[in-house]
Amino acid sequence: MGTCQTVTGRPRNSRPVGRPSSLPLHRGLGFTLGRPRIVPRRRVRRVPRAPARPWAAGRRAAAWAGAAARLPALPAGRIRPAPGYGGQGAYGFRPPPPALRPGIIPLRPLGLGDILDGTIKLVRSNPKSVLGLSAIVAAIGSIPVAIGNALLYGELGENLDDPGALENATTSGVATQYGSTLISLAVQFVAVTLLTGVLTRILGRAVFGGRLTAGEAWRLVRPRTGALFGLVALTGLIMLAPMVLLALLLVAVYAGNADPVAALGLTLVFLLLYIPYVLFFTTRFALAAPALVLEGRGVTDSMRRSWNLVTGDFWRVLGILLLTSLLAGLIGSVFTIPFTFVGAFVGLLGGGSTGSIILTAVLITVGATLGSMITYPVQAGVYGLMYADRRMRAEAFDLVLQTAAIEQQRQGWVHASADDLWLPENATPPQPPRADTP
């Protein structure tokens, strides 16, 4: 038998395919199992590149310019995406530039974070006027309540060992406390109303980056004090009208010798209906005070203005007002509760002495002042910024503010005429909802 010879070479332009095997050469077959298969390598034909044409770029630019000129015009404030295939820069969508922020808020429709941040910046930008006025008003309003509570704790501490005298002291102390509370409410009605107007005027200038002293703000608000008191009184009557109705119903029930359970059930049903009533009208008239101060409107006109601004965004306004009120209440209670607790402890253990009564009144006054000093600016700031936000969303008022801010930046200072931008003649008819608002 002849011997089989194995070809060990391979063509020049070839490459192995598969995995070589270590199996022995099979006799009589002339090949090895698993040996690489020889495949000729495929040649790639290279095409020479065309010479550069420097005039092509100019032709393309002219073609793009002609196409852009034939496109329809876009609304104000919109930017057309640049031609290309994505990415940034010249060949992708260019996001709109950030809104101007000359003062405490960006001049665009505001979100919840913008409103809270703007409120904090209002306090930080003018702490002397904002916190100083708030502290004075809070102290004036809390002194009567503090004195009433101090007298109550003093009488209770003096008669802790005598149950009979303790009962009499409790009755007289509660009467004293109710009387001081009524006096405090009357004082707060005057002081807080004026404070709201002054803080709103300070906020109106702070939106543009300007500052007002307490005296300047008061001179601007003083002509509107009568309208402010009328607004607060009318709003209070609207809120208290159902309570008068409840009182008349309860008098009628007890006059007819009805079951006390029926009177209790009537009261519970009334409360369940009264809470939505208060929330609805509080939200509807929340922007009346800023409209009255900044736009110079009358009482009923400012209430109508607030009603129209809230229309279309009622639930959002309600949610923001509830959340900010909860936050302000929590922050205020952090300062109020410790001082009140220590004051009550001192009053009860002081045995009715003059020193313990004075110390108790001071501690309660300090706690209430610190809590209200934070609460008043937060509430005024949130209501004022909500008013600005609703005008931006409903009337495109941010465009008016941006135009004025650019001019003020060019001049390098904020003129007093910036307050005139809030007047009614700068209001535009309601606009459809904007797609670019948060």
Side-chain angles (χ1 to χ4, degrees):
M1 296 184 60
T3 59
C4 296
Q5 296 182 356
T6 304
V7 180
T8 59
R10 66 186 184 193
R12 180 179 179 182
N13 297 324
S14 64
R15 53 188 174 88
V17 178
R19 180 179 179 183
S21 175
S22 60
L23 296 177
L25 180 68
H26 283 260
R27 298 176 181 177
L29 297 180
F31 65 91
T32 302
L33 293 177
R35 193 169 186 83
R37 183 163 51 91
I38 305 302
V39 179
R41 179 173 296 177
R42 188 175 298 175
R43 290 180 176 273
V44 179
R45 182 180 179 184
R46 297 184 179 275
V47 180
R49 181 177 298 178
R53 293 178 293 177
W55 61 85
R59 289 182 179 178
R60 286 195 297 269
W64 281 117
R70 293 190 295 271
L71 291 175
L74 287 176
R78 299 296 180 86
I79 297 179
R80 190 185 306 280
Y85 297 94
Q88 300 294 329
Y91 293 96
F93 172 73
R94 292 183 180 179
L100 293 174
R101 187 167 189 165
I104 59 176
I105 57 171
L107 301 182
R108 56 167 173 77
L110 306 176
L112 176 60
D114 297 321
I115 293 175
L116 296 177
D117 181 66
T119 303
I120 296 174
K121 282 184 169 58
L122 171 65
V123 178
R124 295 180 59 186
S125 64
N126 202 347
K128 184 177 180 181
S129 298
V130 175
L131 293 180
L133 290 175
S134 300
I136 294 173
V137 171
I140 293 174
S142 60
I143 286 176
V145 175
I147 294 175
N149 289 334
L151 293 176
L152 173 62
Y153 294 143
E155 292 183 5
L156 292 178
E158 187 178 1
N159 300 282
L160 286 177
D161 298 332
D162 188 357
L166 181 61
E167 183 178 357
N168 296 330
T170 303
T171 303
S172 60
V174 169
T176 304
Q177 187 178 18
Y178 276 118
S180 62
T181 302
L182 292 177
I183 297 174
S184 178
L185 289 177
V187 172
Q188 289 181 359
F189 171 77
V190 177
V192 175
T193 301
L194 297 178
L195 177 66
T196 301
V198 172
L199 294 181
T200 302
R201 180 56 70 180
I202 293 175
L203 181 144
R205 185 72 64 86
V207 169
F208 301 99
R211 296 184 61 182
L212 282 176
T213 63
E216 293 172 343
W218 168 244
R219 284 193 294 271
L220 293 173
V221 174
R222 186 168 52 188
R224 309 297 304 158
T225 54
L228 272 172
F229 286 124
L231 175 63
V232 175
L234 183 57
T235 306
L237 290 177
I238 293 175
M239 298 301 173
L240 294 178
M243 300 298 294
V244 176
L245 178 61
L246 174 64
L248 295 177
L249 290 177
L250 291 178
V251 169
V253 168
Y254 283 110
N257 296 324
D259 188 2
V261 178
L264 179 61
L266 178 63
T267 305
L268 293 178
V269 171
F270 174 81
L271 291 177
L272 292 178
L273 297 177
Y274 184 67
I275 293 175
Y277 174 87
V278 171
L279 293 178
F280 177 79
F281 283 102
T282 300
T283 305
R284 283 293 185 177
F285 298 142
L287 311 182
L292 186 145
V293 174
L294 297 178
E295 297 187 30
R297 296 177 180 266
V299 176
T300 57
D301 193 17
S302 62
M303 297 174 71
R304 188 181 305 110
R305 174 70 162 157
S306 175
W307 188 287
N308 294 334
L309 286 176
V310 174
T311 300
D313 206 6
F314 175 84
W315 294 108
R316 177 175 175 272
V317 175
L318 174 61
I320 292 177
L321 295 181
L322 288 178
L323 179 60
T324 52
S325 299
L326 178 62
L327 291 177
L330 291 176
I331 295 174
S333 63
V334 170
F335 297 97
T336 304
I337 292 177
F339 284 92
T340 303
F341 180 78
V342 174
F345 185 77
V346 171
L348 291 175
L349 297 183
S353 63
T354 304
S356 64
I357 293 176
I358 294 176
L359 181 58
T360 300
V362 170
L363 289 174
I364 295 176
T365 302
V366 171
T369 301
L370 291 176
S372 300
M373 187 176 65
I374 302 299
T375 304
Y376 291 158
V378 169
Q379 291 180 345
V382 169
Y383 279 57
L385 294 180
M386 280 298 304
Y387 162 78
D389 172 69
R390 286 306 305 147
R391 288 195 64 175
M392 292 179 190
R393 293 176 184 270
E395 303 172 352
F397 190 63
D398 51 335
L399 303 182
V400 177
L401 299 181
Q402 290 174 11
T403 303
I406 293 173
E407 180 63 22
Q408 290 165 2
Q409 288 181 355
R410 187 184 65 82
Q411 296 177 355
W413 64 299
V414 179
H415 195 266
S417 60
D419 297 333
D420 298 336
L421 294 173
W422 302 99
L423 296 178
E425 50 264 26
N426 291 317
T428 58
Q431 303 291 328
R434 297 168 57 175
D436 59 342
T437 56

